[in-house]
Amino acid sequence: MWLVALMVFLLAADARAGAAEKTTAGAIPIVAETMAAGLDHPWGMDFLPDGAVVITERAGAMRLLDNGVVSPPLAGVPPVFAEGQGGLLDVAVAPDFAVSRRIAFTFAEAGDGGAGTALARATLDRKAGRLDDVEVIFRVARKSRGGVHFGSRIVFAPDGTLFVTLGERGDRYRAQDFSDHAGGVIRLNPDGSIPPGNPFADGSNGRPELWSKGHRNPQGAAWDPVTKALLTVEHGAQGGDEVNRPEAGKNYGWPVITYGKDYSGATIGEGTHKPGYEQPLWHWDPSIAPSGLAVYDGPMFPEWRGDLLVGALKFRLLSRLDRDAAGRIVGEERAFADQFGRIRNVDVAPDGSIWLLTDEDDGRAIRLSRGR
Amino acid sequence: MWLVALMVFLLAADARAGAAEKTTAGAIPIVAETMAAGLDHPWGMDFLPDGAVVITERAGAMRLLDNGVVSPPLAGVPPVFAEGQGGLLDVAVAPDFAVSRRIAFTFAEAGDGGAGTALARATLDRKAGRLDDVEVIFRVARKSRGGVHFGSRIVFAPDGTLFVTLGERGDRYRAQDFSDHAGGVIRLNPDGSIPPGNPFADGSNGRPELWSKGHRNPQGAAWDPVTKALLTVEHGAQGGDEVNRPEAGKNYGWPVITYGKDYSGATIGEGTHKPGYEQPLWHWDPSIAPSGLAVYDGPMFPEWRGDLLVGALKFRLLSRLDRDAAGRIVGEERAFADQFGRIRNVDVAPDGSIWLLTDEDDGRAIRLSRGR
């Protein structure tokens, strides 16, 4: 026990910006650098073309990390519902940022009936330290009480559309209601309009924004260059965490089919399989509480190209789902358990280093690079 | 700490023959019955047609468990090298036992140069409590010092041949020497002769008994009715435990390619991939120390049909690798962690219940059946 305490102390002693520690992931030596410390439950991040990083904190601040310096909160972020799991959530830099200076971000928005996930876009004025032209381009149709299961992640797809993942707000049957967005993945043009190819574009069988339904609380998403598809990770009930590949118009089952069970131990729904409901690509039991997903595609760790990197709040680890050349999952490696904290997000920087956010009171942005 | 001690006490209090406890595997309620207790590091087991179970203990005893009664040691078991991981190892009941009364078993045999894995067959005289006509039908070509990595599991294939898995005796390059059996899987007729189809049957490029090479210490094996192939699990170095599907004449890589690293942290071999060396179907990091493999095919847990059940010495759990209808691994569920002990073997009884052996001083045979 004293050894654990000592190790916690030694790790804590290194949790300041600029600190670097040596560790390993499998057989690969890793240097873990604390690029920013003292963040208040950081949640989302993305890279600007010049290497600066935009980071959200759940309580409502968006900051830039630039050359080792964390900026004051950017002005212009709308008020957020910062209770429970709600707050300022993901941020994504538009693929055309170099010309448009646009970013997109999600947040829990308060309003009639409670709160719900919303998506905004804005332009970033770095010199002035503010967001301009902030525009909410999507809101979940119905706000509701409680502070759980807002999702959310934003993914820009190669075709110029964007996906947003949405939780079911703890009201599980919303995930099966196609007239509701909650518990769905939506697909939009960057201005919020409906792109061609959306499965319910005419609105007759479901909301036009919807791409897929039957999700519980997807908090990780990434475009997969291997299988040319969106991938998501979602929190299931106990033992039911999943990786999914959401396809147009399909139903991923929650709560009709699930691998999870209630925390009371009671079973949920009708089992694990049912015609008309899709299977996950992967599921974990015990749950790891996955939040944050990246498909590794950088030059620094060629061994990991095409693999899925999944942050885990529980066990405080990074799960690497090893994939073969065809994109099939063929192994799991769990790295950094209890070394850094609850891993809320994972992203791959342009140089191929892997960045993590730790969802802690004294949260950090950590850069993992290849050691010797 | 006192809580752990209390839990260990409570579990220990139930570890007598006849005791039953309720537990769960995922969402499925399970009854775990202790069918036999007080076994001395039980290692292998198999079911006789009438439901009795033959069980080996590593120190050298083979016993029958019949209607809740554990027999005295059967007479006729040859002397075994019971040091380190050596001793009396696996046992398998011949498919034609009803007429032949034959069983096969493996053991570490002492001799010139040290010890090596051997395979024997015998007929079982249940009334007399002894083995007759004991005949060693295979011996690893060269005995060597030390007490590690003997393997071994025996699998009868549907074509009437049998496979035996062999460890590399801690001398890793033996796994790459095709003039040696160690670190290989062999395939024999039940009388020890070479069956048609063995890849080195003429002896010119390898030992005629060999089926595959490049294994470190395979301690689990089963015939897979889904993919119609032999499956094995093997202990890798740290982070390199594997599921393999050994095919004729192929090289599974140890120690040229591996996902494991030395316990010193040093890398081993040339990485994880190399032309001419096969990839595992699955690998785990951290290692779980897998011993014992069954493909579930019984009536009691239809949800698990086709899934792989892997015993784990480390973490003392049962890993269920969930497979889809095509036999692809799509999830892992880890059950019973720390509930029973180091799980050395797992087998499916004719009624579909799942039996475990715990490799402990006070080892047990545990029957898992469906609860309510």
Side-chain angles (χ1 to χ4, degrees), chain A residues 72-299:
Chain A
L74 300 173
V77 174
V80 303
F81 174 82
E83 294 183 22
Q85 298 166 8
L88 183 57
L89 302 173
D90 205 22
V91 62
V93 173
D96 66 353
F97 179 87
V99 291
S100 72
R101 295 187 297 118
R102 279 233 164 81
I103 64 168
F105 58 96
T106 54
F107 61 106
E109 182 187 50
D112 281 355
T117 310
L119 170 71
R121 65 170 180 173
T123 55
L124 172 63
D125 184 336
R126 289 181 63 173
K127 279 194 187 151
R130 69 165 188 257
L131 303 182
D132 293 321
D133 312 315
V134 176
E135 185 184 359
V136 175
I137 57 174
F138 169 79
R139 292 180 167 92
V140 169
R142 180 162 68 82
K143 291 183 165 57
S144 59
R145 301 283 164 201
V148 302
H149 302 185
F150 290 94
S152 59
R153 292 290 170 195
I154 305 165
V155 174
F156 281 97
D159 70 357
T161 63
L162 61 82
F163 293 98
V164 180
T165 66
L166 302 166
E168 38 69 307
R169 300 288 286 109
D171 186 356
R172 53 181 68 166
Y173 286 100
R174 292 185 71 176
Q176 289 297 321
D177 177 0
F178 283 66
S179 71
D180 192 350
H181 301 109
V185 174
I186 61 166
R187 177 172 175 263
L188 301 173
N189 288 315
D191 64 359
S193 63
I194 307 298
N198 270 22
F200 309 109
D202 70 1
S204 56
N205 294 309
R207 291 268 177 185
E209 298 87 356
L210 284 175
W211 179 254
S212 62
K213 284 283 285 187
H215 304 282
R216 185 171 175 273
N217 192 24
Q219 291 199 324
W223 184 259
D224 176 19
V226 179
T227 65
K228 316 283 188 219
L230 178 71
L231 297 179
T232 61
V233 292
E234 69 184 73
H235 301 281
Q238 195 179 8
D241 293 351
E242 297 180 349
V243 178
N244 283 298
R245 187 168 67 180
E247 295 181 356
K250 294 193 175 170
N251 186 331
Y252 289 81
W254 175 257
V256 180
I257 61 168
T258 174
Y259 289 87
K261 60 181 173 179
D262 263 325
Y263 295 95
S264 69
T267 56
I268 299 171
E270 305 175 25
T272 57
H273 291 66
K274 188 176 178 179
Y277 300 85
E278 305 306 313
Q279 284 293 305
L281 285 189
W282 183 254
H283 59 99
W284 287 272
D285 181 8
S287 298
I288 66 167
S291 181
L293 169 67
V295 179
Y296 190 78
D297 60 352

Side-chain angles (χ1 to χ4, degrees), chain B residues 42-63:
Chain B
W43 214 98
M45 67 179 152
D46 204 0
F47 298 90
L48 298 177
D50 67 356
V53 188
V54 54
I55 297 176
T56 63
E57 294 173 312
R58 201 180 62 218
M62 189 182 299
R63 300 175 191 270

Side-chain angles (χ1 to χ4, degrees), chain A residues 26 261 283 285 322 330 334, chain B residues 26 261 282-283 285 322 334:
Chain A
K261 60 181 173 179
H283 59 99
D285 181 8
D322 186 20
V330 294
R334 297 180 172 198
Chain B
K261 60 181 174 180
W282 183 256
H283 59 100
D285 181 7
D322 185 19
R334 297 180 170 197

Side-chain angles (χ1 to χ4, degrees), chain B:
Chain B
M1 209 61 193
W2 61 269
L3 186 62
V4 171
L6 178 66
M7 289 173 66
V8 167
F9 172 79
L10 289 173
L11 288 169
D14 243 0
R16 62 195 192 279
E21 50 188 300
K22 290 185 178 182
T23 181
T24 57
I28 297 178
I30 299 285
V31 175
E33 287 171 272
T34 296
M35 307 303 285
L39 299 170
D40 179 15
H41 295 271
W43 214 98
M45 67 179 152
D46 204 0
F47 298 90
L48 298 177
D50 67 356
V53 188
V54 54
I55 297 176
T56 63
E57 294 173 312
R58 201 180 62 218
M62 189 182 299
R63 300 175 191 270
L64 292 173
L65 168 61
D66 193 1
N67 273 317
V69 177
V70 177
S71 76
L74 300 174
V77 175
V80 303
F81 174 82
E83 294 183 22
Q85 298 166 6
L88 183 58
L89 301 173
D90 204 22
V91 62
V93 173
D96 66 353
F97 179 87
V99 292
S100 73
R101 295 186 296 117
R102 279 233 163 81
I103 64 168
F105 58 95
T106 54
F107 61 105
E109 182 188 52
D112 283 354
T117 310
L119 170 70
R121 65 171 181 171
T123 56
L124 171 63
D125 184 336
R126 289 181 62 173
K127 279 192 187 150
R130 71 166 187 257
L131 303 182
D132 293 320
D133 312 314
V134 176
E135 185 184 359
V136 175
I137 57 174
F138 169 80
R139 292 181 167 93
V140 168
R142 179 162 69 82
K143 291 182 166 59
S144 59
R145 302 282 165 202
V148 302
H149 302 184
F150 290 94
S152 59
R153 292 289 171 195
I154 306 165
V155 174
F156 281 98
D159 69 357
T161 63
L162 61 82
F163 293 98
V164 180
T165 67
L166 302 167
E168 38 69 308
R169 300 289 285 108
D171 187 357
R172 53 182 65 167
Y173 286 98
R174 293 185 71 176
Q176 289 297 325
D177 177 0
F178 284 66
S179 71
D180 192 351
H181 301 108
V185 174
I186 61 165
R187 178 172 175 261
L188 301 173
N189 288 314
D191 65 359
S193 63
I194 308 298
N198 270 22
F200 310 109
D202 70 1
S204 56
N205 293 310
R207 291 269 177 184
E209 298 87 356
L210 284 175
W211 179 253
S212 62
K213 284 283 286 189
H215 303 282
R216 185 171 175 273
N217 193 23
Q219 292 200 324
W223 184 259
D224 177 20
V226 178
T227 65
K228 316 283 190 220
L230 178 72
L231 297 179
T232 61
V233 292
E234 69 184 75
H235 301 280
Q238 197 178 6
D241 292 351
E242 297 181 348
V243 178
N244 283 298
R245 186 167 68 179
E247 294 182 355
K250 294 194 174 169
N251 185 333
Y252 289 81
W254 175 257
V256 179
I257 61 168
T258 175
Y259 288 86
K261 60 181 174 180
D262 263 325
Y263 295 95
S264 69
T267 55
I268 299 171
E270 304 174 25
T272 57
H273 292 67
K274 189 176 178 179
Y277 300 85
E278 306 304 315
Q279 284 293 306
L281 285 189
W282 183 256
H283 59 100
W284 286 272
D285 181 7
S287 298
I288 65 167
S291 181
L293 169 67
V295 180
Y296 190 78
D297 61 351
M300 196 176 283
F301 301 99
E303 305 90 335
W304 297 348
R305 292 190 91 154
D307 294 350
L308 309 188
L309 306 176
V310 182
L313 301 167
K314 196 174 152 190
F315 307 133
R316 293 178 280 276
L317 56 76
L318 185 71
S319 165
R320 180 169 67 82
L321 291 172
D322 185 19
R323 296 198 302 174
D324 66 13
R328 286 181 296 244
I329 297 169
V330 294
E332 183 181 21
E333 296 189 1
R334 297 180 170 197
F336 317 125
D338 291 328
Q339 286 184 36
F340 304 134
R342 290 156 39 93
I343 296 179
R344 170 57 74 183
N345 200 6
V346 49
D347 210 345
V348 179
D351 68 355
S353 62
I354 295 165
W355 287 54
L356 310 176
L357 293 178
T358 63
D359 188 345
E360 303 283 351
D361 289 343
D362 181 7
R364 289 189 282 163
I366 295 169
R367 176 180 183 266
L368 306 174
S369 59
R370 197 167 195 111
R372 283 184 299 175

